Amino acid sequence: MLVKLLPVESGDTLIYRVLKAAPIFAALSDAEIEYLTARTEVRTYSPAEMLFSEGEPCTGLHLVATGRVRIFKSSPNGREQVLAVEGPGASVAELPVFDGGGYPASVSAVEETKVLFISRQDFRDVCLEHPEVALKVLQVVGGRLRRLVGIIEELSFTTVRHRLISWLLREARSVGRESEEGLVLTLAASHQEIASQIGTVRELVSRNMARLQAQSLIRARGSEITILDQAGLEAELSSVV
Amino acid sequence: MLVKLLPVESGDTLIYRVLKAAPIFAALSDAEIEYLTARTEVRTYSPAEMLFSEGEPCTGLHLVATGRVRIFKSSPNGREQVLAVEGPGASVAELPVFDGGGYPASVSAVEETKVLFISRQDFRDVCLEHPEVALKVLQVVGGRLRRLVGIIEELSFTTVRHRLISWLLREARSVGRESEEGLVLTLAASHQEIASQIGTVRELVSRNMARLQAQSLIRARGSEITILDQAGLEAELSSVV
DNA sequence: TCCACCTCGTGACTTAAGTCACTGCACGCC
DNA sequence: GGCGTGCAGTGACTTAAGTCACGAGGTGGA
């Protein structure tokens, strides 16, 4: 991890631009952003490098500037369950800043990633002075909580096949491109990573992928996946059983 | 559901006492509590009655005064997954108040329960005027988030047996009483309810309970459960399969 | 008192999930 | 070119989870 302590100029640095654009700080004036800029640290991580591990004491707020990070829990026998993948503008670990406990999960960089770090005290001060920031944090946390509830729902009510389909559709909608055969998706994640995200193991992802292909619902050519029958897949998600 | 609109006197009503004692409003002065008291509604629910259902628009904050409520998701095929059971002093649905969305889960009363209801606008106003309240909400929400992450962890890494053991120990620690044979616990929940809390079905709770008894780890006499070998149970929780 | 209703226990079975082991392939590197 | 390494596919198997069906107690009304 690389730490850059002070920005050379504060007018147009990466820090300033990211803070300014972060939804969480929308309520702050330019002067206040400048103030925060001076007290923010940039950290650079290489792919798979850990930002922090579950249980460590929480020292401050992390804000993704560029790249992506994954938030996950890991089990003693080596399995991982991904809770979220966050990209630029997203804040990570807003909550432990307030409740004083350690980090509830671990976070690592997916790719080359730059993260802004604001100390716990600075962030709390900002929230106390600007209640709108606190409300915004609550809003962000609301979304996070909803996603966690969604994961619980999927884990306790659905099958691996169901979760894989729902993962594929979500992914296709967010990064897929149209073609005359259907949405085309280039997988950035390995089967292992998909497995961690949907709460299962590599082999089952592989098998279910093969089965979806055998049923002509998708076509997989290496890391290129074409959603051949989006309606059919969606139907399966909503059907009971 | 029974709604009582205005308290007769505000000096020592149930409402005032509950608001005053609620951790979430610890930062408010007496005058402010009085103010809120006048704008709070008491709602009374009978066992199993719904406070609201998942997806409904969120109209305000609920604060449990007496009794208990359960927060849960339900699946199309009738299964339920309990996310939390909250007793007096706890707030419910703090978050949707802020992010504008509908309720992420349903809530019903476990037993005869009185709930204070504060409108969305009133609560937001209080948070804006008293940032400490917002920080307190963040702290409460932090705890909630941790518990959700815990559920996800259990669901994706552990077996039904493991979850049942962990449920029993948690329950025993919170409401169990000592005896020379070990902690004794009187079950308030049916097997069906336990199943919903640990994410499985009635039959598996029944079977696993029987198996724990056969192994002399617990003894069940009707709704009386004795933890015979606490150490043994705990060991199983931490052992890697 | 008897019936309706709910909860529990359990046997027998089906199926989803996970494990193990091995193969083949592609890519990058010396 | 050859080799190591990581990822993907798959067969064979084990085991946990869930389903279905049924019978036994218990409780509380009518």
Side-chain angles (χ1 to χ4, degrees), chain B residues 189-192 202-203 206-207 210:
Chain B
S190 68
H191 284 189
Q192 176 58 67
R202 184 186 69 79
E203 291 93 327
S206 190
R207 260 192 252 284

Coordinates of all heavy atoms in Angstrom, one line a residue, chain B residues 189-192 202-203 206-207 210, chain C residues 7-13 18-19:
Chain B
A189 N -40.3 -19.8 22.1 CA -40.6 -19.9 20.6 C -40.9 -21.4 20.3 O -40.3 -22.3 20.8 CB -39.3 -19.5 19.9
S190 N -41.8 -21.6 19.3 CA -42.1 -22.9 18.8 C -40.9 -23.3 17.9 O -40.1 -22.5 17.5 CB -43.3 -22.9 18.0 OG -43.2 -22.1 16.8
H191 N -40.9 -24.6 17.6 CA -39.8 -25.1 16.6 C -39.9 -24.3 15.3 O -38.9 -24.0 14.7 CB -39.9 -26.6 16.4 CG -39.4 -27.4 17.6 ND1 -39.3 -28.7 17.5 CD2 -39.0 -27.0 18.8 CE1 -38.8 -29.1 18.7 NE2 -38.6 -28.1 19.5
Q192 N -41.2 -24.1 14.9 CA -41.4 -23.4 13.7 C -40.7 -22.0 13.7 O -40.1 -21.6 12.8 CB -42.9 -23.2 13.5 CG -43.3 -22.4 12.2 CD -42.7 -23.0 11.0 OE1 -43.1 -24.1 10.5 NE2 -41.7 -22.3 10.4
R202 N -39.1 -26.5 10.2 CA -39.4 -27.1 11.4 C -38.8 -28.4 11.7 O -38.2 -28.7 12.7 CB -40.9 -27.2 11.5 CG -41.5 -27.7 12.8 CD -43.0 -27.9 12.6 NE -43.3 -29.0 11.7 CZ -43.2 -30.3 12.1 NH1 -42.9 -30.6 13.3 NH2 -43.5 -31.3 11.2
E203 N -38.9 -29.3 10.7 CA -38.5 -30.7 10.9 C -37.0 -30.8 11.2 O -36.6 -31.6 12.0 CB -38.7 -31.5 9.6 CG -40.2 -31.8 9.3 CD -40.8 -30.8 8.4 OE1 -40.4 -29.6 8.5 OE2 -41.7 -31.1 7.6
S206 N -36.4 -29.9 14.8 CA -36.9 -31.0 15.7 C -35.8 -32.1 15.7 O -35.4 -32.6 16.7 CB -38.2 -31.5 15.1 OG -38.8 -32.5 15.9
R207 N -35.4 -32.5 14.5 CA -34.4 -33.6 14.4 C -33.1 -33.2 15.0 O -32.5 -34.1 15.8 CB -34.1 -33.9 12.9 CG -34.9 -35.1 12.4 CD -34.4 -35.4 11.0 NE -35.3 -35.1 9.9 CZ -36.4 -35.8 9.7 NH1 -36.7 -36.8 10.4 NH2 -37.2 -35.4 8.7
A210 N -33.3 -33.3 18.7 CA -33.3 -34.7 19.2 C -31.9 -35.3 19.2 O -31.5 -36.0 20.1 CB -34.2 -35.6 18.3
Chain C
dT7 P -48.5 -23.7 16.3 OP1 -48.0 -22.4 16.7 OP2 -48.5 -24.1 14.8 O5' -47.6 -24.8 17.0 C5' -47.7 -24.9 18.4 C4' -47.1 -26.3 18.8 O4' -48.0 -27.3 18.3 C3' -45.8 -26.5 18.2 O3' -44.8 -26.7 19.2 C2' -45.9 -27.8 17.3 C1' -47.2 -28.4 18.0 N1 -48.0 -29.3 17.0 C2 -48.2 -30.6 17.4 O2 -47.8 -31.1 18.4 N3 -49.0 -31.3 16.5 C4 -49.5 -30.8 15.3 O4 -50.2 -31.6 14.6 C5 -49.3 -29.4 15.0 C7 -49.8 -28.8 13.8 C6 -48.5 -28.7 15.9
dC8 P -43.3 -26.7 19.0 OP1 -42.7 -25.8 20.0 OP2 -43.0 -26.5 17.5 O5' -42.9 -28.2 19.4 C5' -43.8 -29.1 19.1 C4' -43.5 -30.5 19.5 O4' -44.4 -31.3 18.9 C3' -42.1 -31.0 19.0 O3' -41.6 -31.9 20.0 C2' -42.4 -31.6 17.7 C1' -43.9 -32.2 17.9 N1 -44.7 -32.1 16.7 C2 -45.5 -33.2 16.3 O2 -45.4 -34.2 17.0 N3 -46.2 -33.2 15.2 C4 -46.3 -32.1 14.5 N4 -47.1 -32.1 13.4 C5 -45.6 -30.9 14.8 C6 -44.8 -31.0 15.9
dG9 P -40.1 -32.5 19.8 OP1 -39.6 -32.9 21.1 OP2 -39.4 -31.6 18.8 O5' -40.4 -33.9 19.0 C5' -41.0 -35.0 19.7 C4' -41.1 -36.2 18.8 O4' -42.0 -35.8 17.7 C3' -39.8 -36.5 18.1 O3' -39.5 -37.9 18.4 C2' -40.0 -36.3 16.6 C1' -41.5 -36.4 16.5 N9 -42.1 -35.5 15.5 C8 -41.9 -34.2 15.3 N7 -42.6 -33.7 14.3 C5 -43.3 -34.8 13.8 C6 -44.2 -34.9 12.7 O6 -44.6 -34.0 11.9 N1 -44.7 -36.2 12.5 C2 -44.3 -37.3 13.3 N2 -44.9 -38.4 13.0 N3 -43.5 -37.2 14.4 C4 -43.0 -35.9 14.5
dT10 P -38.2 -38.6 18.1 OP1 -38.0 -39.5 19.2 OP2 -37.2 -37.6 17.7 O5' -38.6 -39.4 16.8 C5' -39.9 -39.7 16.5 C4' -40.1 -40.3 15.2 O4' -40.8 -39.5 14.3 C3' -38.8 -40.6 14.4 O3' -38.9 -41.9 13.8 C2' -38.7 -39.5 13.4 C1' -40.1 -39.4 13.1 N1 -40.5 -38.1 12.4 C2 -41.5 -38.1 11.4 O2 -42.1 -39.1 11.1 N3 -41.8 -36.9 10.9 C4 -41.2 -35.7 11.2 O4 -41.6 -34.7 10.7 C5 -40.2 -35.7 12.3 C7 -39.6 -34.5 12.7 C6 -39.9 -36.9 12.8
dG11 P -37.6 -42.8 13.5 OP1 -37.6 -43.8 14.6 OP2 -36.4 -42.0 13.2 O5' -38.1 -43.5 12.2 C5' -39.4 -44.1 12.2 C4' -39.9 -44.2 10.7 O4' -40.3 -42.9 10.3 C3' -38.8 -44.7 9.7 O3' -39.4 -45.6 8.8 C2' -38.4 -43.4 9.1 C1' -39.7 -42.6 9.1 N9 -39.5 -41.1 9.1 C8 -38.7 -40.4 9.8 N7 -38.8 -39.1 9.6 C5 -39.7 -39.0 8.6 C6 -40.3 -37.8 7.9 O6 -40.0 -36.7 8.1 N1 -41.2 -38.2 7.0 C2 -41.6 -39.5 6.7 N2 -42.5 -39.6 5.7 N3 -41.1 -40.6 7.3 C4 -40.2 -40.2 8.2
dA12 P -38.6 -46.4 7.8 OP1 -39.2 -47.7 7.6 OP2 -37.1 -46.3 8.1 O5' -38.8 -45.5 6.5 C5' -40.2 -45.2 6.1 C4' -40.1 -44.6 4.7 O4' -40.0 -43.1 4.9 C3' -39.0 -45.0 3.9 O3' -39.4 -45.1 2.5 C2' -37.9 -43.9 4.1 C1' -38.9 -42.7 4.2 N9 -38.3 -41.5 4.9 C8 -37.4 -41.6 5.9 N7 -37.0 -40.4 6.4 C5 -37.8 -39.5 5.6 C6 -38.0 -38.1 5.6 N6 -37.3 -37.3 6.4 N1 -38.8 -37.6 4.7 C2 -39.5 -38.4 3.9 N3 -39.5 -39.7 3.8 C4 -38.6 -40.2 4.7
dC13 P -38.4 -45.6 1.4 OP1 -39.2 -46.5 0.6 OP2 -37.1 -46.0 2.0 O5' -38.2 -44.3 0.5 C5' -39.4 -43.5 0.1 C4' -38.9 -42.1 -0.3 O4' -38.5 -41.4 0.9 C3' -37.8 -42.1 -1.3 O3' -38.3 -41.8 -2.5 C2' -36.8 -41.0 -0.7 C1' -37.6 -40.4 0.4 N1 -36.7 -39.9 1.5 C2 -36.7 -38.6 1.8 O2 -37.4 -37.8 1.2 N3 -35.9 -38.1 2.8 C4 -35.2 -39.0 3.5 N4 -34.4 -38.5 4.5 C5 -35.2 -40.4 3.2 C6 -36.0 -40.8 2.2
dG18 P -23.2 -25.1 -1.3 OP1 -23.1 -24.2 -0.1 OP2 -23.2 -24.6 -2.6 O5' -22.1 -26.3 -1.1 C5' -22.2 -27.0 0.1 C4' -21.3 -28.2 0.0 O4' -21.8 -29.1 -1.0 C3' -19.8 -27.9 -0.4 O3' -19.0 -28.4 0.6 C2' -19.7 -28.5 -1.7 C1' -20.6 -29.7 -1.6 N9 -21.1 -30.2 -2.9 C8 -21.7 -29.6 -3.9 N7 -22.0 -30.4 -5.0 C5 -21.5 -31.6 -4.6 C6 -21.5 -32.9 -5.3 O6 -22.0 -33.1 -6.4 N1 -20.9 -33.9 -4.5 C2 -20.4 -33.7 -3.3 N2 -19.9 -34.8 -2.7 N3 -20.4 -32.5 -2.6 C4 -21.0 -31.5 -3.3
dT19 P -17.4 -28.1 0.6 OP1 -17.0 -27.9 2.0 OP2 -17.1 -27.1 -0.5 O5' -16.9 -29.5 0.1 C5' -17.3 -30.7 0.8 C4' -16.5 -31.9 0.2 O4' -17.1 -32.3 -1.0 C3' -15.0 -31.6 -0.1 O3' -14.3 -32.7 0.5 C2' -15.0 -31.7 -1.6 C1' -16.2 -32.6 -2.0 N1 -16.8 -32.3 -3.3 C2 -17.0 -33.4 -4.1 O2 -16.6 -34.6 -3.8 N3 -17.6 -33.2 -5.3 C4 -18.1 -31.9 -5.7 O4 -18.6 -31.8 -6.8 C5 -17.9 -30.8 -4.8 C7 -18.3 -29.5 -5.2 C6 -17.2 -31.1 -3.7

